[in-house]
Amino acid sequence: MPTDIIMPQMGESIVEGTITKWLKKPGDKVQRDEPLFEISTDKVDAEIPAPASGVLQEIKVTEGTTVGVNTVVGTIAVDGEAAATKSAAPAAKPAAAAPPKEEKKAAPAPPPMPAPPAAANEEEDEARSSPLVRKIAREHGISLSQIRGTGLGGRITKQDIQQFIDNQGSHPAHVETASQAVPPKRSEAESHAAPAAPRPAAPAPYPGDLVPMTNMRRLIAKHMIESRRTSAHVHCMYEVDFTRIVNLRSKLKTAFEQRHGVRLTFMPFFVRAAIIALQQWPIINASIDGDNIRYHRNINVGIAVALDWGLIVPVLKNAGDLNFLGLQRGITDLGERARTKKLKPEDVEGSTFTITNPGQFGAVFGLPIINQPNSAIMGVGGITKQPLVITDKDGNDSIAIRSVVHLTLGYDHRLIDGAVADQFMAQVKKNLEQWNEDVG
């Protein structure tokens, strides 16, 4: 009997999920626990592993379809069944022999076609790839028209171009057909399986196109509007002399990575500075519960992670109990699992305060929307060198080049008064400018 592939329940409150992408086609071999398909729920996007080893026999639920948990979405043929599936392929060929005749009739047209598409589709290739992908393509002398994108709407991801580069050395003869064909060794499996799970390559969207939102984008839109309607948003901004920490990180980052096996980033400095201030101003870590104020026992810091397909806020639980190394390891782990779709529903629940970092893309500062049901969110701007007036202990002023960062606090004025928000941010500023904690 084939093994059923089930839509999993990703948390107690999850009742359904949307299949966003199948990572295998019918006829493909799969290994147990190998990523098989991607789903999106109202909590997380995740890769779902195969429940058994064998051959993907059938896809019952197509991409973009939302189904309830425990629904059978496909089947895997195991052991002897997998062999039977392959042996049945030749018998299926005669039935599928009609389409090739039509292709032969159209055969005279293809010869003059190869050259024009490269030029005609140049803008499309640019539109369906990121600046990083285009940079990699230029460095390796690769035309994006040669690559079949597996991202949403046929978008070419970093993984697609990297796989193309890796395969170029071992399969140079197939470079020109990579954008439209599967390696010959899998043609038999795909020829008998194609009718069960067609995967048309969606064209990249152009100005004027009407494209449906992804599940994640719909949820982001819903949550942002709800937050605006719920909280009385006010923002304040503080300029911070970040020179001490920039110099400290520059001095310690190599030894830190060698000693602990994790990169030293700036984020744990911001998180730790905020935690110290939250412990002194617990109202910033509180939330409104009806006509009551709920003061949370723990400080659970949500850290926004920008993804190619949206934004997610995994939560560093009990952050107030972690030392600096624990913060860095936790932040790195959450970020990596967010980007590889390995987060669980509990990883994005229970935040009491949020930090977002628009500065990583060059923004001087941001005015973020509060992550409900939090009452505040801190935005971290870009770190830049600027001339600042420095006053020494004798009161003498001078101008020096310093590393500067702008921090903003978005807060719910229903709960937090402006004076309290300013005192909190003044403490964060002091914690950073006078940093004296052991980094490890």
Side-chain angles (χ1 to χ4, degrees):
M1 292 291 292
T3 300
D4 288 338
I5 305 166
I6 304 295
M7 171 63 72
Q9 184 167 14
M10 301 290 287
E12 292 183 5
S13 62
I14 306 299
V15 297
E16 63 182 17
T18 301
I19 294 183
T20 55
K21 182 180 180 182
W22 281 95
L23 304 176
K24 297 285 186 178
K25 300 182 181 70
D28 285 355
K29 289 184 178 180
V30 296
Q31 296 294 325
R32 181 183 176 86
D33 296 329
E34 177 185 11
L36 183 57
F37 61 101
E38 297 178 358
I39 68 169
S40 179
T41 72
D42 63 353
K43 297 294 184 184
V44 294
D45 284 5
E47 289 181 344
I48 305 304
S53 297
V55 171
L56 180 57
Q57 185 180 54
E58 180 183 8
I59 289 176
K60 295 186 175 183
V61 178
T62 57
E63 295 176 358
T65 304
T66 300
V67 295
V69 299
N70 299 323
T71 299
V72 177
V73 299
T75 57
I76 293 176
V78 296
D79 301 330
E81 295 166 359
T85 301
K86 283 192 173 183
S87 64
K93 278 187 177 180
K101 287 186 178 180
E102 293 183 20
E103 290 183 28
K104 279 195 172 184
K105 284 187 177 182
M113 292 297 289
N121 294 336
E122 184 175 348
E123 291 184 2
E124 179 179 341
D125 295 331
E126 293 284 311
R128 64 189 181 101
S129 61
S130 68
L132 175 60
V133 168
R134 295 195 288 272
K135 179 175 181 291
I136 295 174
R138 287 194 300 270
E139 290 174 352
H140 289 79
I142 296 171
S143 169
L144 293 178
S145 63
Q146 298 174 318
I147 302 174
R148 178 177 179 271
T150 62
L152 184 64
R155 187 173 180 82
I156 300 172
T157 66
K158 180 184 176 183
Q159 289 75 17
D160 292 334
I161 193 169
Q162 194 59 59
Q163 184 176 12
F164 180 84
I165 293 170
D166 293 342
N167 292 339
Q168 210 170 10
S170 57
H171 304 289
H174 303 303
V175 168
E176 292 184 358
T177 60
S179 65
Q180 55 187 327
V182 178
K185 63 180 181 179
R186 302 170 81 173
S187 59
E188 179 184 326
E190 292 207 78
S191 65
H192 80 268
R199 293 190 64 186
Y206 276 95
D209 286 354
L210 184 64
V211 180
M213 286 185 177
T214 62
N215 190 54
M216 176 177 277
R217 178 53 54 192
R218 287 195 300 270
L219 292 171
I220 290 173
K222 177 184 175 183
H223 293 163
M224 293 302 97
I225 292 298
E226 285 181 351
S227 183
R228 279 294 193 187
R229 289 173 177 167
T230 300
S231 296
H233 280 70
V234 180
H235 292 84
C236 61
M237 181 176 69
Y238 276 67
E239 183 176 83
V240 178
D241 185 344
F242 206 55
T243 307
R244 181 192 292 260
I245 291 176
V246 168
N247 293 340
L248 179 65
R249 176 180 177 271
S250 179
K251 178 182 177 182
L252 299 179
K253 63 181 181 180
T254 300
F256 185 93
E257 183 170 359
Q258 291 174 347
R259 186 181 306 115
H260 303 298
V262 62
R263 288 179 59 245
L264 176 61
T265 67
F266 287 120
M267 185 54 73
F269 291 97
F270 295 114
V271 173
R272 182 58 186 158
I275 288 172
I276 295 171
L278 288 168
Q279 290 168 339
Q280 298 178 52
W281 302 97
I283 190 69
I284 308 294
N285 195 54
S287 59
I288 294 177
D289 186 350
D291 292 330
N292 305 304
I293 300 174
R294 183 176 296 281
Y295 286 87
H296 300 288
R297 295 177 183 273
N298 300 316
I299 296 175
N300 298 332
V301 182
I303 301 174
V305 178
L307 307 171
D308 288 343
W309 55 92
L311 179 75
I312 198 165
V313 186
V315 182
L316 193 60
K317 302 290 179 62
N318 302 320
D321 299 334
L322 300 176
N323 61 14
F324 186 90
L325 177 59
L327 291 175
Q328 179 65 85
R329 283 178 169 162
I331 292 166
T332 300
D333 172 64
L334 289 174
E336 289 177 351
R337 289 197 288 126
R339 295 183 184 93
T340 56
K341 299 186 177 181
K342 297 294 190 295
L343 291 174
K344 299 176 181 179
E346 55 265 30
D347 293 325
V348 295
E349 296 175 334
S351 68
T352 59
F353 180 79
T354 305
I355 297 178
T356 184
N357 183 20
Q360 65 181 310
F361 302 111
V364 177
F365 65 89
L367 301 176
I369 295 176
I370 297 167
N371 181 31
Q372 298 296 325
N374 296 176
S375 295
I377 180 170
M378 187 172 79
V380 178
I383 302 169
T384 59
K385 289 187 176 182
Q386 298 180 21
L388 289 185
V389 175
I390 306 298
T391 304
D392 63 22
K393 59 182 180 180
D394 297 323
N396 300 313
D397 292 338
S398 62
I399 296 177
I401 303 299
R402 310 289 288 180
S403 294
V404 175
V405 63
H406 292 85
L407 304 180
T408 56
L409 183 72
Y411 58 95
D412 189 342
H413 212 342
R414 297 178 304 162
L415 179 63
I416 301 171
D417 293 331
V420 175
D422 287 338
Q423 290 174 79
F424 168 81
M425 287 302 289
Q427 184 63 55
V428 172
K429 173 182 169 76
K430 180 180 178 181
N431 295 340
L432 293 171
E433 292 184 339
Q434 300 179 14
W435 183 272
N436 59 7
E437 291 201 14
D438 181 29
V439 171

